[in-house]
């Protein structure tokens, strides 16, 4: 720990509340917003090493460039996933060439697409192999390496502490643990208390993750686990300010207020434009739909069924923006 932040090797994080990587969600526009609101770190969406290098199509290449985009002042963290040394070495090189200041290895993803290839959380089933791959990345990287994992593959194999200890021995500088097993996927509640075993097994910072949605759950997760910081994923959907607010609460500083009314409307419209720029109009309109849905849900904006359907199916960005404005003006009318 470094005062109010966390040290990852020689990289200093300004806060203790970090945005979790979420494929398809934590793109550059979203990460930019989370940073503006004071997140202590933002992590790119996972880049699967095999996809990166095995003759990417033009669309795959564009996607990779998009995922590697870095803005703002926070350290650039690129997450890689893979199950073979050669892919991870190449993934590390691509991340380094893109200016990564921390490289994160994904050992937590439960998706069958990823685990069938013995990547993501499947690596926790084969700790020797996981260690070999971690060593490979640490040796190939010139920057600190972190690992994101789960409690283990299943209840019978809660081996996060063992893997974290060997990862530390291999030179890993930070570990984030989602308090579920792979077999749980996202079911049930995340358990924070078992992460204490990981914290006690290593000297590097351990970050607790899973079901942290507000300052109270963040404090509870820290107390139960003894972790150095928290990582927030789904809770930040539709509320990119949440990570910064939780970080401020943990440090006892003044959090930025929750945007509402015209401020929220402008934020949403700016985010919308940013997504159209980042993805191009056609894809951008589709990518933006889930964010709009989350914004409306988080702000408890009441939408008629038709408006909701129109906002979420309309192909013209200009029309979507008109509809979004209408939702807010109707809200004002109701409040008046
Ligand atoms: C849609 C989605 C995509 C995700 N993508 C990634 C990913 O690319 N890499 C990763 O390590 N974890 C990924 N995760 C897992 C999250 O980082 C996090 O560990 C998990 O959601 C639990 O935290 P939460 O309860 O705060 O959401 C993803 C989760 C979701 C819901």
């Amino acid at each position: 720990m470094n005062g109010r932040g966390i040290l990852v090797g020689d990289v200093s994080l300004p806060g203790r509340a970090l945005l979790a990587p979420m494929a398809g969600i934590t793109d550059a526009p979203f990460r930019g917003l989370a940073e503006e609101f004071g997140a202590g770190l933002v992590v790119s969406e996972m880049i699967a090493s095999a996809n990166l290098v095995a003759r990417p199509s033009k669309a795959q290449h564009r996607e990779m460039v998009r995922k590697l985009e870095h803005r703002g002042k926070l350290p650039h963290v690129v997450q890689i996933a893979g199950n073979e040394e050669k892919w991870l070495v190449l993934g590390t090189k691509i991340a380094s060439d893109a200016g990564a200041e921390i490289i994160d290895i994904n050992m937590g993803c439960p998706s069958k697409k990823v685990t069938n290839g013995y990547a993501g959380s499947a690596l926790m089933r084969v700790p020797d192999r996981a260690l070999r791959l971690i060593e490979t990345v640490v040796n190939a990287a010139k920057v600190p390496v972190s690992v994101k994992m789960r409690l283990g593959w299943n209840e019978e194999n809660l081996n996060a502490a063992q893997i974290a200890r060997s990862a530390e021995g291999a030179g890993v500088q930070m570990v984030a643990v989602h308090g579920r097993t792979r077999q749980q996927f996202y079911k049930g509640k995340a358990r924070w208390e078992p992460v204490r075993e990981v914290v006690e097994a290593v000297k590097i910072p351990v970050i607790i993750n899973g079901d942290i949605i507000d300052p109270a759950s963040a404090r509870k997760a820290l107390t139960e686990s003894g972790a150095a910081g928290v990582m927030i994923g789904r809770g930040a959907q539709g509320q990119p300010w949440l990570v910064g607010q939780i970080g401020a609460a943990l440090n006892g500083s003044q959090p930025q207020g929750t945007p509402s009314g015209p401020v929220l409307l402008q934020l949403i419209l700016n985010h919308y434009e940013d997504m159209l720029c980042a993805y191009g109009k056609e894809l951008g309109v589709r990518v933006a739909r889930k964010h709009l849905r989350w914004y409306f849900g988080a702000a408890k904006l009441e939408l008629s069924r038709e408006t909701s359907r129109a906002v979420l199916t309309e192909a013209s960005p200009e029309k979507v923006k008109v509809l979004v404005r209408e939702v807010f003006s109707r809200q004002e009318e109701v409040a008046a």
Side-chain angles (χ1 to χ4, degrees), residues 10 68 148 198 238 294 325:
D10 55 0
L68 288 168
K148 181 159 174 288
V198 182
W294 290 327
R325 285 183 196 282

Side-chain angles (χ1 to χ4, degrees), residues 9-74:
D10 55 0
V11 178
S12 172
L13 313 186
R16 292 198 288 154
L18 325 182
L19 176 68
M22 288 183 285
I25 298 165
T26 52
D27 52 14
F30 193 84
R31 296 199 301 274
L33 273 174
E35 172 166 358
E36 269 176 45
F37 280 97
L41 194 70
V42 297
V43 182
S44 76
E45 304 163 86
M46 166 182 73
I47 291 167
S49 309
N51 294 353
L52 277 183
V53 291
R55 292 171 192 264
S57 65
K58 270 194 185 149
Q60 280 172 321
H61 182 73
R62 265 200 308 274
E63 185 185 336
M64 183 183 84
V65 171
R66 210 168 41 229
K67 285 184 172 177
L68 288 168
E69 185 188 335
H70 178 59
R71 314 171 171 183
K73 294 199 170 62
L74 285 173

Side-chain angles (χ1 to χ4, degrees), residues 169-326:
V172 161
Q173 302 281 6
M174 181 171 81
V175 168
V177 187
H178 175 186
R180 284 186 177 85
T181 64
R182 183 306 183 154
Q183 293 306 59
Q184 282 183 279
F185 286 85
Y186 290 92
K187 290 199 275 296
K189 277 213 55 80
R191 286 169 296 156
W192 303 318
E193 208 271 332
V195 177
R196 183 168 283 280
E197 202 192 325
V198 182
V199 172
E200 285 169 0
V202 296
K203 294 196 174 60
I204 52 175
V206 175
I207 308 298
I208 180 81
N209 168 242
D211 296 348
I212 295 167
I213 50 162
D214 54 21
S217 52
R219 283 197 193 95
K220 192 160 189 284
L222 288 178
T223 306
E224 288 187 13
S225 64
V230 296
M231 184 175 259
I232 296 121
R234 290 163 298 171
Q237 292 170 353
Q239 349 184 53
W241 47 85
L242 183 75
V243 182
Q245 285 180 336
I246 290 178
L250 294 179
N251 285 342
S253 51
Q254 187 64 30
Q256 293 194 47
T258 299
S260 63
V263 178
L264 178 59
L265 170 62
Q266 199 52 54
L267 183 151
I268 294 175
L269 292 175
N270 292 347
H271 186 186
Y272 195 73
E273 280 301 327
D274 203 2
M275 287 186 278
L276 296 180
C277 280
Y279 291 93
K281 226 165 155 177
E282 203 180 315
L283 180 57
V285 169
R286 282 187 273 131
V287 169
R289 286 177 184 152
K290 56 181 178 285
H291 290 282
L292 292 178
R293 190 160 41 88
W294 290 327
Y295 277 125
F296 295 149
K300 300 196 169 53
L301 291 176
E302 291 196 9
L303 272 68
S304 70
R305 196 173 281 208
E306 301 90 79
T307 315
S308 174
R309 191 170 321 120
V311 172
L312 302 176
T313 56
E314 176 55 59
S316 149
E318 296 315 316
K319 287 190 185 156
V320 173
K321 282 186 269 181
V322 170
L323 283 164
V324 172
R325 285 183 196 282
E326 277 174 14

